[in-house]
Amino acid sequence: MTTTSEPSTNSASPANSASSARVLRTAYQQAVAQYWNNEKDPVNLRLGDVDGLYHHHYGIGDWDPAVLEGPEETRDKQIIAELHRLESAQADVLLDHLGPIAPAHRLLDAGCGRGGTSVMANARFGCEVDGVSISESQVDFAGTQARKRGVDDKVRYHFRNMLDTGLPTGAFQGSWNNESTMYVDLHELFAEHARQLTRGGRYVTITGCSNDVTGLRSKAVSRIDEHYTCNIHPRSAYFKALAANGLVPINVVDLTAATIPYWELRAKSTLATGIEEPFLTAYREGSFHYLLIAADRI
Ligand code: GPP
Ligand code: MG
């Protein structure tokens, strides 16, 4: 494993091929980075514009039916605000599972996207947060948001690979993947989290996983993989890889029922991308679960 000196500022490396090659080691990683570098979907940007928290994950909880009422001119705006509220509620539930975090602790957001969960963590705990992404555009975007909020002294984003971040060993009280584990090998990922977490530190993921009970990847799950260029893991893979890397589950929460309303509302909005029906089918047929797993580093 390479070690690099710890970056002290928000920094997307200049787009030069040497630094890119260090971070993006395979053709697959390059393809994933390209997808996210080019991604400018209104379903993410317009939701983030609501309050400057830009998420790349889905939502949980019930929505207010009143958002579908009222004049057509304002309906979209209301639905967008409601979808965004549900996405922020999801990030809040992830943060709820980190355990007690003090301002002196450090947190790590692995696969941080445009940075929303990191900013929420800093606002809640007052501590330093490092986010890593293999998308330079996302790192730039997230860094700009942190500067706009005046939190860039504590919230830093790095153009790094979450499988080998170069961040210090044993320095983090908490770390998480908010819907980014489906891009990587879980053994490599959890080995890197275990390295970075202090003993007794907490790892949390919210993820979509296929259901071992119903067998291999369903058609709906395959469509989700194809849409995002990802590889959804079976539920069992998480527990095997956590156990093999000294991460012991303390909480497992099935959020499937809580996320279905989000997809139902999203399917009714003008921002629907076409992936809503595969998600609804996969969840309803039971071939796919939306799961939170929290584990302690031993
Ligand atoms: C993207 O969020 C999330 C993923 C690519 C991970 C896949 C998640 C699973 C649970 C399988 P996004 O906010 O960028 O997606 P969208 O553009 O559809 O809102
Ligand atoms: Mg989204």
Side-chain angles (χ1 to χ4, degrees):
M1 184 162 298
T2 54
T3 48
T4 47
S5 62
E6 200 179 346
S8 58
T9 56
N10 280 316
S11 58
S13 306
N16 68 59
S17 53
S19 74
S20 277
R22 261 201 316 276
V23 176
L24 308 172
R25 298 192 177 147
T26 64
Y28 173 66
Q29 289 172 3
Q30 285 164 16
V32 171
Q34 191 175 27
Y35 174 96
W36 291 109
N37 282 336
N38 293 332
E39 191 274 340
K40 292 189 179 63
D41 204 301
V43 80
N44 298 314
L45 294 176
R46 288 193 59 197
L47 268 62
D49 289 343
V50 169
D51 62 3
L53 291 171
Y54 291 85
H55 297 308
H56 283 283
H57 57 258
Y58 312 122
I60 52 171
D62 292 330
W63 41 275
D64 180 355
V67 299
L68 296 179
E69 292 155 15
E72 217 171 314
E73 313 85 77
T74 54
R75 196 172 306 150
D76 230 29
K77 207 170 156 213
Q78 287 184 305
I79 294 175
I80 286 168
E82 191 67 346
L83 288 170
H84 183 62
R85 184 180 69 78
L86 301 184
E87 291 188 0
S88 290
Q90 186 266 26
D92 265 328
V93 167
L94 188 154
L95 298 178
D96 288 344
H97 284 82
L98 283 173
I101 302 294
H105 285 143
R106 284 182 75 173
L107 296 173
L108 170 63
D109 184 352
C112 61
R114 287 187 168 96
T117 308
S118 299
V119 171
M120 287 175 63
N122 165 262
R124 187 192 289 205
F125 303 117
C127 65
E128 292 184 28
V129 187
D130 290 278
V132 302
S133 168
I134 60 169
S135 161
E136 289 185 274
S137 306
Q138 286 188 333
V139 169
D140 278 338
F141 188 101
T144 301
Q145 295 308 313
R147 276 190 297 281
K148 271 194 194 162
R149 282 181 180 262
V151 296
D152 53 316
D153 57 331
K154 294 241 171 118
V155 183
R156 296 177 292 262
Y157 299 99
H158 313 281
F159 174 50
R160 300 284 179 103
N161 191 316
M162 63 182 170
L163 300 179
D164 181 8
T165 66
L167 292 168
T169 297
F172 294 86
Q173 179 64 31
S175 67
W176 65 84
N177 287 95
N178 198 350
E179 292 186 20
S180 48
T181 52
M182 55 290 294
Y183 286 103
V184 293
D185 178 275
L186 293 180
H187 279 273
E188 286 184 57
L189 177 68
F190 295 156
E192 184 64 340
H193 278 286
R195 181 189 68 78
Q196 292 162 118
L197 284 168
T198 187
R199 188 180 165 83
R202 175 73 55 81
Y203 170 73
V204 182
T205 184
I206 296 183
T207 189
C209 55
S210 62
N211 184 2
D212 303 85
V213 179
T214 56
L216 294 176
R217 207 171 255 132
S218 66
K219 192 170 180 64
V221 170
S222 297
R223 285 180 63 193
I224 298 168
D225 272 348
E226 174 61 27
H227 183 85
Y228 295 106
T229 322
C230 67
N231 293 284
I232 289 166
H233 302 291
R235 177 161 33 118
S236 58
Y238 284 87
F239 298 95
K240 287 177 192 159
L242 287 167
N245 288 286
L247 293 164
V248 179
I250 176 86
N251 259 305
V252 179
V253 186
D254 182 1
L255 295 170
T256 308
T259 195
I260 287 177
Y262 165 85
W263 287 103
E264 288 170 339
L265 180 60
R266 184 166 146 156
K268 293 182 200 297
S269 91
T270 59
L271 300 184
T273 62
I275 201 59
E276 292 75 18
E277 283 313 317
F279 270 94
L280 286 165
T281 301
Y283 286 139
R284 287 175 181 150
E285 74 188 5
S287 65
F288 189 53
H289 299 298
Y290 197 47
L291 213 65
L292 178 148
I293 305 168
D296 286 333
R297 165 78 170 98
I298 58 166

